[in-house]
Amino acid sequence: MPLPERLFVPVRQHIGEPAIPKIKAGDIVYKGDVLAGHENGKTPPVHCPTSGRVVDISNYPHPLFGISLAVVIEADGKDEWRPGLVSSRSYLNLSP
């Protein structure tokens, strides 16, 4: 199944404090990059689902919260992790 051309990633993903965007429109992002987070240590970070370019950070419909801030990613179709990251993520290679 091909990747969608655009992905809408809400920065509010739970009932706690919403995350704060750490990127801006025009930024190039990779799969796994932190899109949003919070310094309070209680709000988990929101990660990028694929590689591409941030085209918008605005309010969009949310299935639970009505209207909520979201990061819009224009996928580049490569689905790449940030260069330099360890590429083997198999749980079989982890030590107990």
Side-chain angles (χ1 to χ4, degrees), residues 29-95:
V29 291
Y30 293 90
K31 181 165 52 171
D33 282 357
V34 173
L35 297 177
H38 203 288
E39 290 77 28
N40 67 9
K42 298 176 186 175
T43 301
V46 177
H47 294 90
C48 190
T50 191
S51 56
R53 186 172 60 89
V54 177
V55 294
D56 193 20
I57 303 171
S58 297
N59 287 320
Y60 287 92
H62 189 287
L64 297 176
F65 303 116
I67 300 294
S68 185
L69 192 64
V71 177
V72 183
I73 306 294
E74 186 175 79
D76 61 12
K78 298 176 185 176
D79 201 32
E80 294 179 319
W81 292 91
R82 178 161 295 284
L85 287 178
V86 178
S87 61
S88 175
R89 300 191 185 286
S90 172
Y91 72 93
L92 297 171
N93 297 331
L94 299 173
S95 59

